Amino acid sequence: RYTVPDSRLPVKNISAEVIETENSRVDLENDSSSKSSKVKFKSTYTTKTFRKSGTDFSPSKVSYVIKQEDRKIGSKIVDINLSDTSALITLPGIGPVLSVRIIKYRNYLGGYARVEQLKEVYGLSEETFEMIKSHVKADSSFIKRLNINTVDYKELTRVRYLEKYEITSILKYRQLKGRIGSIDDLVDNKLITSEKAKRIGPYVRFE
């Protein structure tokens, strides 16, 4: 409704009609030939141009920048054990920082056994998890499982949920028995709890 003319002229109230003339993505580069730097907008923004009916505000149009609607991923399901950062940032609430953290934590774990493990990623809130949980899956067949009958102490520390004293107890039990048959052996001999067995089960094998 208002335009700001040259400082030597008064502000004039005009009757303007808002006309949508453009709905395209913008990516403004820094212009070295200009005294002032232009802002670079991400692809999540669009431009729309205002003009008075029958009159174009040449040479420079009056523009504003608006956000697009929330990104839609439709029915696509992202496998958090296979996806890269470009796939993860299509999820609502997941940006470049969180996508990198999700992958780093995946490498640390050896793979995700359950979607709920995303809650353990630093900075990923409960609200964000609720938004993305129906759009992700975790194929546990890609997990790197350790043979508990051959690993040493250092290798067993890679199992995220085992405490140091539990690792020591498991290795001593294996030394005494010779071979551990199943994870039930660890629970029955009170080396780990049944709850802990559920958490480490996808990360170990007994051969």
Side-chain angles (χ1 to χ4, degrees), residues 101-128:
R101 289 178 182 171
I102 289 171
I103 291 178
K104 283 186 176 180
Y105 193 62
R106 178 179 72 194
N107 294 337
Y108 177 63
L109 287 173
Y112 290 102
R114 304 174 305 279
V115 168
E116 287 72 21
Q117 287 173 291
L118 287 175
K119 296 179 182 179
E120 301 168 14
V121 175
Y122 178 74
L124 200 153
S125 66
E126 181 69 28
E127 292 77 11
T128 300

Side-chain angles (χ1 to χ4, degrees), residues 78-89:
V78 176
D79 191 324
I80 54 177
N81 277 333
L82 296 174
S83 55
D84 56 14
T85 54
S86 61
L88 290 171
I89 61 177

Side-chain angles (χ1 to χ4, degrees), residues 9-27:
L9 299 175
V11 174
K12 183 180 180 181
N13 186 2
I14 65 172
S15 177
E17 177 183 354
V18 178
I19 302 178
E20 181 179 321
T21 61
E22 185 180 358
N23 189 15
S24 58
R25 299 176 184 272
V26 296
D27 189 5

Side-chain angles (χ1 to χ4, degrees), residues 187-199:
V187 177
D188 294 342
N189 287 276
K190 302 187 184 303
L191 302 177
I192 59 173
T193 64
S194 56
E195 179 62 29
K196 182 65 67 74
K198 292 178 183 178
R199 301 183 78 181

Side-chain angles (χ1 to χ4, degrees), residues 27-80:
D27 189 5
L28 303 177
E29 302 292 341
N30 290 333
D31 187 358
S32 58
S33 62
S34 175
K35 293 183 180 180
S36 59
S37 297
K38 297 180 180 179
V39 181
K40 185 174 182 181
F41 295 96
K42 301 295 184 183
S43 60
T44 53
Y45 290 86
T46 60
T47 60
K48 295 179 185 290
T49 303
F50 291 92
R51 68 168 180 258
K52 185 179 178 181
S53 298
T55 304
D56 192 352
F57 290 113
S58 300
S60 59
K61 297 179 181 180
V62 180
S63 301
Y64 73 103
V65 179
I66 62 170
K67 284 187 176 182
Q68 291 179 335
E69 295 181 355
D70 292 339
R71 290 166 292 184
K72 297 179 180 179
I73 60 176
S75 59
K76 180 181 179 181
I77 302 297
V78 176
D79 191 324
I80 54 177

